[in-house]
Amino acid sequence: MKKPAYVTKEALKTFIKNALEEDIQDGDHSTLATIPKDLQQKAKLLVKQDCILAGVELAELIFKQFDKNLKVELLMKDGDSAKVGDIAFYVTGSARSILSTERFVLNCMQRMSGIATMTHDWDARLLGTKTKLLDTRKTTPNFRLCEKWAVAIGGGTNHRYGLYDMIMLKDNHIDYNGSITNAVKMAKNYIEKTKKPLKIEVETRNLEEVKEAVKSGADRIMLDNMDVATMTEAVKIIGRKCETEASGGITREMLKDIANTGVNFISAGALTHSAENIDLSLKAVK
């Protein structure tokens, strides 16, 4: 599958470098003390829980960045449906290198596969509708790259990547500013002044705020923590004047009913903050 635009070589290289430094610092002393320098070995990535596999491409990059002589034989790819007992890949080469990168690879793949699996399951409930499932910025600091990548692998759609690529006027922005009307006006002036191609999204908490957001000329209106009946009325008020996004306290069981209101998007922080890790293991091949 095509990688999202934010998954660049530079971003991946920096992420891997920082994570390796955090873990190893002046040496993997358990390995250095017990494993001969020239020992060559092989290991397999064993799937121990049914899942949507994610992090395979990242795992290969981690191995190669740590030790360019490690050889990775891929048997499965990101986005594949994996079953208990499947082998995702083999890695062959320096036993020291395999052991020093083992936990880093597993930490990434277990987390990413959990997110991809949950995303795939939730997205399946939207089949037959035109509503897209979005992630949020409720991600782990310094691990957003992998978490949002996992959402994409699972079939979800990434929302803004960070604070820099969209203007989102949340409740606190509006409360601090004074009104939706004034906040949107100032945002439009900022865009005109800076020449930045940014869309404006406004969070609304009730139908009066929805009406004000429509009148202000927002590009997208977020319907925050509204029940289905209120959301249905909000979508009617908005019509086709701008995009609509349901958000706040979204659960799996609510997805179909929310999609049936006609919203364009459903954003769920749960995809990245509540997904359970998948059980994977890197086992020595004897």
Side-chain angles (χ1 to χ4, degrees):
M1 65 175 293
K2 184 179 179 181
K3 290 196 294 291
Y6 54 83
V7 184
T8 64
K9 289 182 179 179
E10 294 77 14
L12 289 168
K13 185 176 181 179
T14 299
F15 165 70
I16 294 169
K17 176 179 179 290
N18 290 341
L20 287 170
E21 288 179 352
E22 175 186 56
D23 201 25
I24 298 175
Q25 295 197 29
D26 71 337
D28 170 8
H29 301 302
S30 303
T31 297
L32 293 172
T34 61
I35 303 299
K37 181 178 179 180
D38 297 327
L39 182 64
Q40 301 289 297
Q41 290 290 352
K42 185 176 185 179
K44 61 184 178 182
L45 193 290
L46 181 64
V47 177
K48 302 173 74 174
Q49 185 179 349
D50 293 354
C51 67
I52 299 299
L53 203 60
V56 176
E57 183 176 347
L58 176 60
E60 183 175 19
L61 290 171
I62 291 170
F63 287 132
K64 292 290 188 179
Q65 186 164 322
F66 185 78
D67 181 350
K68 64 181 182 180
N69 293 317
L70 286 176
K71 295 180 180 178
V72 182
E73 179 188 357
L74 300 180
L75 304 181
M76 303 185 76
K77 63 183 184 300
D78 287 325
D80 281 353
S81 180
K83 302 295 183 184
V84 174
D86 283 347
I87 298 172
F89 58 75
Y90 290 103
V91 56
T92 306
S94 165
R96 284 187 173 184
S97 295
I98 292 171
L99 289 168
S100 293
T101 51
E102 173 186 3
R103 178 46 55 191
F104 179 23
V105 166
L106 288 174
N107 284 344
C108 291
M109 288 195 66
Q110 288 175 327
R111 181 75 185 136
M112 290 179 71
S113 295
I115 291 170
T117 301
M118 183 175 180
T119 301
H120 180 80
D121 176 61
W122 282 38
D123 194 54
R125 296 183 69 83
L126 299 178
L127 290 176
T129 75
K130 295 182 180 180
T131 304
K132 292 184 178 181
L133 181 65
L134 304 178
D135 55 19
T136 71
R137 281 177 53 248
K138 294 178 181 178
T139 55
T140 308
N142 296 320
F143 200 61
R144 180 177 300 176
L145 173 74
C146 299
E147 290 175 340
K148 280 188 170 281
W149 189 5
V151 168
I153 290 170
T157 300
N158 294 139
H159 206 321
R160 59 177 180 160
Y161 187 77
L163 292 170
Y164 64 88
D165 57 356
M166 187 179 194
I167 291 178
M168 184 183 290
L169 304 175
K170 305 271 287 181
D171 53 355
N172 284 338
H173 291 94
I174 294 163
D175 289 342
Y176 283 162
N177 182 275
S179 73
I180 289 173
T181 301
N182 193 49
V184 173
K185 181 180 178 180
M186 291 182 70
K188 288 184 175 182
N189 288 339
Y190 176 83
I191 290 170
E192 184 177 355
K193 181 179 179 180
T194 61
K195 308 300 181 185
K196 293 183 180 295
L198 301 170
K199 285 192 173 184
I200 301 171
E201 179 168 3
V202 175
E203 178 179 284
T204 60
R205 296 163 283 192
N206 53 57
L207 295 180
E208 287 305 310
E209 289 189 345
V210 168
K211 292 174 184 176
E212 186 179 357
V214 170
K215 191 174 180 180
S216 73
D219 297 301
R220 183 184 299 179
I221 296 175
M222 179 190 292
L223 311 175
D224 188 51
N225 282 297
M226 294 184 186
D227 58 38
V228 171
T230 305
M231 199 177 297
T232 300
E233 184 62 27
V235 171
K236 289 180 181 178
I237 292 170
I238 296 166
R240 296 185 179 181
K241 298 180 184 72
C242 65
E243 296 176 331
T244 53
E245 176 187 331
S247 188
I250 305 295
T251 65
R252 181 180 183 274
E253 291 69 32
M254 299 163 60
L255 291 169
K256 194 74 172 182
D257 288 339
I258 292 175
N260 287 336
T261 68
V263 293
N264 301 115
F265 304 100
I266 298 174
S267 58
L271 298 178
T272 50
H273 69 57
S274 294
E276 295 185 1
N277 283 10
I278 295 296
D279 192 4
L280 305 171
S281 183
L282 193 67
K283 306 297 289 185
V285 176
K286 298 180 180 181

